[in-house]
Amino acid sequence: MITILASAICLVEGYLLGSLNFSIMVSRLFKGEDIRNYGSKNAGMTNILRTYGKKYAVMVGVGDFCKGVCAVFIGRLIFSLMGVTLFDAGYAAGAAALLGHLFPLYFGFKGGKGVLTGLGVVLTLSPLSFAIIVLLELPLLYFTRIVSLASVTGAILYPIVTCVVHILQRRPFILDTVFSVALAGVVLYMHRANIKRLLSGTEYRFGQDKKKQ
């Protein structure tokens, strides 16, 4: 019973924290606007960067990333205080935070695509997997200047890297791999329109003249 109660608290905590969409909050606080009415109409850092510039994008990036980290830490703290050790609370809290980012309670259930929040969760659950994915994706992002391409390929790599890292470390890998497949699937689904544009060669590159898109 205590495990069920602790899990429920972690899910609520993660979802409420994940619902703090920094793209929407920053655009409303500093511009008096809703970022979902501009650019790609997505409530994410990339749209903030294209619409308002680097300063605001950094604020959003840090906020969305850190809420993923904090959700996992708080979830683990809740389990620790309640004496629950059956499984890692980070999975429940992290998944709920991602869900909150995608469907934020405070903003009409219309949020972003979950990449930065997901990365915050990945960092906290598996720092080595996070480091490998970032090292692989940064050169791709630098040379292509296509954020969605890095997001999509990073999502595809995440389950593979997670499985390999856990096997090499001789750690149980089934739960982590299943979680990583689920998280990657969500990110890929949220990028389905981007994937279509990538396949057709029409996806936006930073620095590209928007009139030529």
Side-chain angles (χ1 to χ4, degrees):
M1 186 66 184
I2 191 68
T3 299
I4 295 175
L5 177 60
S7 299
I9 294 174
C10 285
L11 289 171
V12 172
E13 165 267 318
Y15 177 72
L16 293 179
L17 188 57
S19 291
L20 295 172
N21 188 291
F22 284 86
S23 297
I24 301 172
M25 292 191 295
V26 166
S27 64
R28 288 183 176 179
L29 181 62
F30 293 98
K31 297 295 183 178
E33 303 170 336
D34 190 328
I35 188 59
R36 294 174 295 183
N37 295 325
Y38 300 91
S40 65
K41 302 188 186 302
N42 178 58
M45 186 190 73
T46 303
N47 197 25
I48 286 285
L49 178 60
R50 292 174 58 184
T51 306
Y52 299 132
K54 295 179 181 178
K55 178 176 69 174
Y56 299 106
V58 169
M59 296 167 60
V60 170
V62 171
D64 283 347
F65 181 84
C66 287
K67 73 183 181 184
V69 173
C70 291
V72 174
F73 273 123
I74 294 173
R76 286 174 170 173
L77 178 60
I78 291 170
F79 264 37
S80 177
L81 292 175
M82 298 181 72
V84 177
T85 58
L86 184 61
F87 61 92
D88 187 347
Y91 295 108
L98 181 62
L99 185 66
H101 182 81
L102 301 177
F103 309 105
L105 175 66
Y106 319 119
F107 303 108
F109 303 101
K110 184 181 178 183
K113 297 181 180 178
V115 174
L116 285 170
T117 300
L119 281 173
V121 173
V122 172
L123 170 63
T124 319
L125 291 177
S126 179
L128 181 56
S129 297
F130 172 85
I132 293 172
I133 292 169
V134 170
L135 288 174
L136 291 174
E137 293 305 313
L138 281 179
L140 178 65
L141 180 59
Y142 177 80
F143 287 110
T144 66
R145 305 192 309 279
I146 304 176
V147 176
S148 62
L149 178 60
S151 299
V152 168
T153 54
I156 294 171
L157 285 173
Y158 176 40
I160 299 171
V161 171
T162 297
C163 186
V164 171
V165 165
H166 280 67
I167 290 175
L168 291 177
Q169 293 180 333
R170 297 183 179 179
R171 294 168 50 196
F173 64 90
I174 295 179
L175 179 59
D176 291 85
T177 303
V178 170
F179 179 84
S180 65
V181 168
L183 189 150
V186 170
V187 172
L188 290 174
Y189 177 77
M190 297 305 296
H191 283 79
R192 58 194 184 280
N194 302 86
I195 293 173
K196 290 181 181 178
R197 290 194 294 269
L198 286 169
L199 293 175
S200 65
T202 59
E203 184 67 314
Y204 174 78
R205 297 172 183 262
F206 275 104
Q208 173 184 342
D209 186 347
K210 294 182 180 181
K211 294 181 181 179
K212 296 181 180 179
Q213 292 183 66

